[in-house]
Structure formats: structure tokens, C-alpha cells
Amino acid sequence: EGPDPVTTPRVLDVLGEKQVRATFFVVGKRAERHPELVRRALAEGHLVENHTWSHPPLFCFLTPGRLRAEIEKCAETLQRISGRRARYFRSPVGLRHALLRPYLRRAGLEYISWKIKSYDTLNVKSGTLAGRILNKVKSGDIVLLHDYRAGGVDVMVGVLPRIIDELRARGFDFVRVDSECRAAEEVHGGMGWEA
């Protein structure tokens, strides 16, 4: 549900140090409040994409007008901040609205989900979080992580370098979702990260 002014820079620092490019799915109203974080992520080679305007928890029950507004307002905000149109969309909590497909088609957005949900927003121990990823990940998987201040974000930021190093040692590469060979990790929420 980022970008977050405290956590997102920490995540970007780790990704920069490890030379990993990620995809951040951002909440439009938070991106509007922190456009410098969106610009920094883009300048550092990350992809920044649409995660709705306000991250409504009951996304699948929105009225048609509200659904369209959530998608379009975030898209307009990202274009205003970055000068580029978003190409990808992730819905809150991975929920699918009955009208989502035609609205995304009209907006020119492709739906992206994840393969591994790390549950990093819960209060979790570093070994548990690392295990949720390292014990399950396969080539082509998208791993869901969050950069919004929540229960386990400090643990996630602390364990992220170890996860990256171990996956690289296994031969994984890290790519953005627009890569031809969508591989091991995507960092989302609030940037790459999601909620």
C-alpha cells in the first residue's frame, strides 16, 4: 500500500545495493502524497504500476462507477507524476471484481497477480518469512512483499538481502513484470509491494 515515506526508501536502498529491479504496485493517493518516491523508484530502474486510488478493502463489491474511478484516478496520478502511462494493474488483496476485465481493457491495463504471498504484513519472525519464500519459490514466480508500514515490514526489510542472496546462489534472476522472462521476485504494495 505504498509508497511509504519511511519504509519505501529502505526497500529501495536494499534493492539498489543488491542491484535488483522490482515492480511496485502503488496506491494512487499515497503516490500523490509522495511523488518523489515514485520518481526515485523509476529513476533506479523499477517499474511503478497501478494498485487502485485508495486500496478499498471491499474492492470486489465496488459500484461500477467507483471501480472505474479507482482504476482511472490512480492511472492519471501515475502519468502526471512519471510522464508515462501505467501498463499493469494489481487489485487490493488480489480480489477480482466482476467488471474488472472490461474496465482494465478500456484502461489499457494488464492484470498481474502473485504466486507467493509472503504474509509479511503480519508480525512474523525473519526465519518464518524467509522460509515462506525460499521453500516455495520456483522459476517465474512473483513474490508479494509490502513496503507499507505494517506488522512485519521491519523483519521483511531485514531479511530481504538474505533472500536475494540465497535465490541468486540458486541461479535465480530478478526481473520486473514487463520482462520477457518474468522470474523470481517482485517487490510490491506500496511499491512492488502491496497489501
Side-chain angles (χ1 to χ4, degrees):
E1 285 180 41
D4 179 83
V6 173
T7 307
T8 302
R10 294 171 59 203
V11 171
L12 288 170
D13 289 346
V14 170
L15 296 176
E17 177 185 314
K18 296 294 182 179
Q19 298 181 1
V20 168
R21 298 298 170 260
T23 303
F24 287 86
F25 285 88
V26 301
V27 175
K29 71 180 183 179
R30 295 188 60 78
E32 186 172 74
R33 279 188 231 137
H34 307 288
E36 72 286 355
L37 295 175
V38 172
R39 290 186 194 106
R40 177 182 169 189
L42 291 166
E44 293 178 9
H46 305 290
L47 198 59
V48 177
E49 298 297 332
N50 190 323
H51 191 43
T52 70
W53 169 252
S54 68
H55 201 278
L58 298 175
F59 178 77
C60 58
F61 299 111
L62 296 179
T63 64
R66 174 92 189 276
L67 174 65
R68 186 175 57 250
E70 285 285 335
I71 294 167
E72 291 176 0
K73 193 167 182 182
C74 183
E76 291 163 4
T77 299
L78 292 178
Q79 184 160 11
R80 188 172 55 255
I81 291 169
S82 68
R84 62 172 284 282
R85 188 101 177 124
R87 292 175 42 204
Y88 302 99
F89 176 85
R90 171 168 292 144
S91 58
V93 197
L95 298 174
R96 303 249 186 149
H97 190 286
L99 297 173
L100 185 59
R101 183 174 293 172
Y103 282 26
L104 291 181
R105 191 176 309 120
R106 184 182 338 166
L109 294 166
E110 179 183 340
Y111 187 86
I112 299 289
S113 191
W114 61 84
K115 182 69 176 178
I116 297 175
K117 187 172 184 176
S118 67
Y119 296 97
D120 61 328
T121 57
L122 306 175
N123 285 320
V124 64
K125 295 181 176 162
S126 61
T128 303
L129 179 58
R132 285 183 185 149
I133 296 168
L134 296 171
N135 295 336
K136 296 179 184 178
V137 72
K138 295 183 212 90
S139 182
D141 284 352
I142 294 175
V143 177
L144 174 65
L145 296 166
H146 298 78
D147 68 343
Y148 184 72
R149 279 178 277 178
V153 76
D154 288 330
V155 171
M156 183 277 298
V157 172
V159 78
L160 187 58
R162 180 178 135 216
I163 292 169
I164 291 169
D165 290 345
E166 185 161 334
L167 290 176
R168 276 204 173 121
R170 294 181 192 178
F172 283 88
D173 194 13
F174 299 88
V175 298
R176 304 175 341 172
V177 298
D178 63 342
S179 169
E180 288 183 25
C181 60
R182 293 180 185 166
E185 180 174 58
E186 171 197 339
V187 184
H188 160 36
M191 281 221 175
W193 319 80
E194 180 211 335

